Amino acid sequence: MKNGSIITIESLIKSFPIGGGEFTALNGINLTFAKGEFSGIVGPSGSGKTTLLNILGSLDSPTKGHTNVLGTASDQMNPRVSAMLRKKHIGFIFQTYNLMPVYTVFENVEFPLLLLKTPAAERKKAVLEALEWVGISDKVKSKPPQLSGGESQRVAIARAMVKKPDLVLADEPTANLDAENSHHILQTMENLNKELQTTFVFATHDEKVIGYLRRIITLEDGKVVSDKNIKK
Ligand SMILES: Nc1ncnc2c1ncn2[C@@H]1O[C@H](COP(=O)(O)OP(=O)(O)O)[C@@H](O)[C@H]1O
Ligand SMILES: [Mg+2]
């Protein structure tokens, strides 16, 4: 891997079988990300943003080409390795939240720390802190079906950030948030990025998010059409 980079993507192709043929969602992607980047994949709906994020999060695998995420190459990936990588190092914010409906907000956010066997007192402190980051401390005992879309999204963000992972992958994290909550959460993420050198990769087409990014990678029809560093 290139010195200082924590993600490399080489000649990545991802195709999906559709009705006898196949559809190429990512068509020859080459990218590297350095530790501590605050970057985003932008582009119109259907351009391949979610597909790329899923591959970076080892939720899906390349059809052709290679990736290396935090020292784990796509060629070495198997379900155990990818589960370990996600458990220890990656926080994933899904477009559809993926909260567990029968558990409380507290338990949902606590879950990544249970997997890491974090001691109870430390867990409680970290969960309450993460809920404060996203401004939803008053809902600790609620369950996801009782929450609005925006509240669910904030819980999903707290769950992704609670273990202070090396890498946060965020798929349209502000899609259901009003402007005030979006800015609050983006500032929280920016602070984590600065304090802990957490690397962020967003998939977004929200101008509010784009305004915070220090690197903007534009996808069109599964190809990178521009890659710009933004001076702040
Ligand atoms: N599992 C799948 N099977 C078939 N086609 C898919 C699948 N996942 C994504 N696609 C297609 O790949 C393209 C890119 O999708 P996606 O990565 O979700 O785009 P974006 O997140 O930028 O809106 C779309 O045309 C979508 O329909
Ligand atoms: Mg998407």
Side-chain angles (χ1 to χ4, degrees), residues 78 88 93 113 127 173 224:
N78 63 44
K88 289 201 171 151
I93 301 164
L113 301 177
V127 171
V224 175

Side-chain angles (χ1 to χ4, degrees), residues 46-94:
S47 56
K49 303 182 296 294
T50 295
T51 305
L52 182 55
L53 230 56
N54 285 345
I55 291 176
L56 293 182
S58 74
L59 298 166
D60 207 347
S61 53
T63 305
K64 283 190 191 145
H66 305 277
T67 63
N68 190 308
V69 177
L70 300 164
T72 304
S74 47
D75 319 79
Q76 317 164 317
M77 208 64 89
N78 63 44
R80 247 197 68 234
V81 170
S82 66
M84 189 62 81
L85 180 66
R86 286 197 302 275
K87 177 171 96 173
K88 289 201 171 151
H89 302 293
I90 300 177
F92 209 113
I93 301 164
F94 296 93

Side-chain angles (χ1 to χ4, degrees), residues 16 35 39 54 61 65 86 105 112 159 161 213 219 231:
F16 296 108
K35 182 173 165 61
S39 59
N54 285 345
S61 53
R86 286 197 302 275
V105 163
R159 180 185 56 184
M161 301 202 308
L213 299 176
L219 276 191
K231 285 222 165 67

Side-chain angles (χ1 to χ4, degrees), residues 10-61:
E10 286 169 23
S11 310
L12 171 65
I13 291 177
K14 180 67 184 179
S15 312
F16 296 108
I18 42 161
E22 61 176 31
F23 175 81
T24 303
L26 296 175
N27 196 359
I29 307 277
N30 294 289
L31 285 170
T32 62
F33 293 86
K35 182 173 165 61
E37 284 203 49
F38 203 73
S39 59
I41 318 285
V42 310
S45 178
S47 56
K49 303 182 296 294
T50 295
T51 305
L52 182 55
L53 230 56
N54 285 345
I55 291 176
L56 293 182
S58 74
L59 298 166
D60 207 347
S61 53

Side-chain angles (χ1 to χ4, degrees), residues 216-227:
I216 300 176
I217 298 156
T218 308
L219 276 191
E220 260 171 44
D221 294 331
K223 289 194 169 123
V224 175
V225 294
S226 88
D227 185 350

